């Protein structure tokens, strides 16, 4: 059976919940995965930037994947895909992480470019890295372009297109957190849409991303309001552009607020408004709570959470 790209839709880059002692909070993890699936997401992205991937060891990574896959299957959300972050500083370690992710139940991998020796990571070296991973990877994978966490390394549209064409069925998509919609448009227009998924990587350009050819969205804000993101896709599919623009405006305001509170802040919002988990990050990220957030931050978030409650009621999930 030929390997296909990830299905079109909303993907939540799942946060990793911790207990007070920084161990994995399995109960909150399962509750969170359940709420995302009930919100209508097409998939979950585990162990990405929001999942604090650099803070997890190999055993914890496998535990999280197995726990979520098993729980979703028990709930009959078998079609929800798992994309797992597997980027590392070497080809060897990246391949090991991909192999372990496959064994634990992942459908796809997500791979950052290596960035430890940033000065040595020329465009040619980065391209060679992805070709080498594709040659041996046990899972199809997406290229993850996020210059803010890779010492400024920004993979060009030309490189993404070359890599996808050279590795069909292995490199099946990209996540563009860089926010470059021109890059997204060029990639989408140069590769077969049924074989390659180019994703916008933030809520604040979700609708412009759809216009440019995004395969949906991979967005941190979906940790809080998954059904609202699904609603925007519904409006787009129905051609209701004015309604979609209004909803995009509210998502953009909420996303801008969320970016001010960091990963632990995302978890604190989930804890306060949805009743599970804690605003705990592994050190040095530290902890936070709703009480530490200003009204300027909470206002846009509470606005979008009210919408989420409305859409969840409409779908019978509240």
């Amino acid at each position: 059976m030929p390997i296909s790209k990830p299905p079109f839709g909303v993907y939540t880059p799942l946060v990793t919940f911790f207990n007070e002692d920084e161990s994995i909070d399995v109960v909150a993890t399962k509750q969170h995965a359940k709420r995302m699936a009930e919100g209508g997401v097409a998939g979950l992205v585990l162990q990405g930037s929001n999942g604090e991937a650099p803070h997890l060891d190999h055993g914890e990574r496998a535990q999280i994947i197995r726990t979520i896959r098993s729980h979703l299957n028990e709930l009959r959300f078998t079609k929800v895909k798992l994309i797992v972050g597997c980027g590392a500083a070497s080809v060897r370690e990246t391949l090991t992480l991909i192999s372990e992710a496959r064994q634990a139940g992942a459908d796809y991998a997500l791979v950052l470019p290596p960035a430890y020796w940033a000065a040595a990571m020329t465009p040619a070296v980065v391209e060679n890295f992805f070709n080498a991973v594709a040659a041996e990877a046990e899972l199809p994978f997406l290229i993850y372009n996020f210059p803010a966490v890779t010492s400024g390394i920004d993979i060009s549209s030309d490189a993404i297109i070359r890599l996808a064409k050279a590795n069909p069925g292995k490199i099946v998509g990209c996540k563009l957190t860089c926010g470059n919609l021109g890059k997204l448009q060029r990639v989408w227009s140069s590769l077969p849409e049924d074989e390659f998924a180019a994703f916008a990587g933030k809520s604040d350009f979700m609708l412009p991303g759809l216009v440019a050819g995004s395969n949906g969205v991979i967005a941190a804000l979906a940790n809080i309001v998954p059904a609202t993101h699904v609603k925007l896709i519904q409006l787009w599919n129905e051609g209701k552009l004015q309604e979609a623009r209004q909803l995009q405006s509210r998502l953009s305001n909420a996303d801008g607020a969320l970016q001010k509170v960091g990963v632990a802040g995302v978890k604190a919002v989930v804890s306060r408004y949805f009743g599970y988990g804690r605003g705990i990050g592994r050190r040095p990220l530290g902890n936070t709570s709703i009480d530490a957030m200003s009204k300027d931050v909470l206002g846009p978030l509470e606005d979008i959470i009210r919408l989420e409650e409305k859409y969840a009621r409409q779908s019978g999930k509240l």
Side-chain angles (χ1 to χ4, degrees), residues 69-312:
R69 182 72 277 164
S70 176
H71 191 51
L72 291 176
N73 289 349
E74 289 170 1
L75 296 171
R76 299 188 178 181
F77 288 113
T78 56
K79 293 184 179 180
V80 174
K81 301 297 183 182
L82 298 185
I83 302 174
V84 176
C86 296
S90 69
V91 171
R92 183 186 181 89
E93 179 73 356
T94 300
L95 290 171
T96 297
L97 288 170
I98 292 174
S99 178
E100 292 171 349
R102 180 192 63 78
Q103 293 172 39
D107 298 292
Y108 304 91
L110 179 69
V111 181
L112 282 165
Y116 185 85
W117 286 282
M121 295 300 105
T122 65
V125 169
V126 170
E127 206 164 326
N128 287 338
F129 166 83
F130 282 110
N131 278 319
V133 171
E136 298 183 51
E138 295 180 17
L139 284 173
F141 68 90
L142 291 75
I143 294 170
Y144 189 5
N145 191 52
F146 192 4
V149 299
T150 55
S151 302
I153 293 172
D154 190 8
I155 307 166
S156 70
S157 55
D158 288 342
I160 294 171
I161 292 163
R162 279 194 300 270
L163 286 164
K165 287 182 175 179
N167 300 281
K170 284 308 220 47
I171 298 178
V172 296
C174 61
K175 181 191 177 191
L176 301 178
T177 309
C178 56
N180 189 328
L181 290 172
K183 182 179 294 185
L184 177 57
Q185 181 82 71
R186 289 189 293 274
V187 170
W188 171 79
S189 65
S190 301
L191 297 169
E193 192 173 7
D194 59 344
E195 297 177 9
F196 191 90
F199 283 99
K202 285 186 179 179
S203 301
D204 62 4
F205 54 89
M206 179 178 173
L207 181 59
L210 292 171
V211 174
S214 179
N215 194 61
V217 71
I218 301 174
L221 184 61
N223 279 285
I224 298 171
V225 290
T228 305
H229 289 77
V230 172
K231 179 65 175 182
L232 180 56
I233 283 184
Q234 178 188 337
L235 293 173
W236 165 254
N237 286 336
E238 293 173 354
K240 297 178 179 178
L241 185 57
Q242 291 304 317
E243 290 181 56
R245 288 173 65 187
Q246 292 301 316
L247 182 54
Q248 175 62 67
S249 177
R250 295 168 79 170
L251 283 170
S252 294
N253 288 331
D255 198 39
L258 194 67
Q259 291 174 41
K260 298 174 183 177
V261 301
V263 174
V266 176
K267 290 185 269 192
V269 172
V270 170
S271 177
R272 167 63 178 82
Y273 293 98
F274 299 98
Y276 59 86
R278 302 171 180 86
I280 297 173
R282 275 193 172 162
R283 290 168 291 178
L285 287 187
N287 308 335
T288 192
S289 69
I290 289 293
D291 295 338
M293 298 179 193
S294 69
K295 291 182 179 179
D296 289 343
V297 168
L298 289 178
L301 291 172
E302 290 178 342
D303 172 66
I304 207 73
I305 288 168
R306 284 191 291 271
L307 273 184
E308 179 73 9
E309 292 168 348
K310 170 186 171 182
Y311 297 138

Side-chain angles (χ1 to χ4, degrees), residues 2-76:
I3 296 171
S4 62
K5 68 167 191 177
F8 179 87
V10 174
Y11 289 73
T12 305
L14 227 64
V15 291
T16 300
F17 288 99
F18 300 115
N19 296 306
E20 295 288 347
D21 63 357
E22 296 190 13
S23 61
I24 304 294
D25 185 341
V26 175
V27 173
T29 295
K30 293 168 73 171
Q31 287 177 286
H32 197 45
K34 178 177 183 287
R35 188 170 71 86
M36 295 301 106
E38 289 179 343
V41 301
L44 306 176
V45 178
L46 311 180
Q47 295 145 38
S49 305
N50 285 278
E52 296 178 56
H55 297 170
L56 303 173
D57 64 34
H58 284 242
E60 290 171 329
R61 287 169 178 251
Q63 176 193 7
I64 291 168
I65 300 165
R66 285 195 301 266
T67 296
I68 290 176
R69 182 72 277 164
S70 176
H71 191 51
L72 291 176
N73 289 349
E74 289 170 1
L75 296 171
R76 299 188 178 181

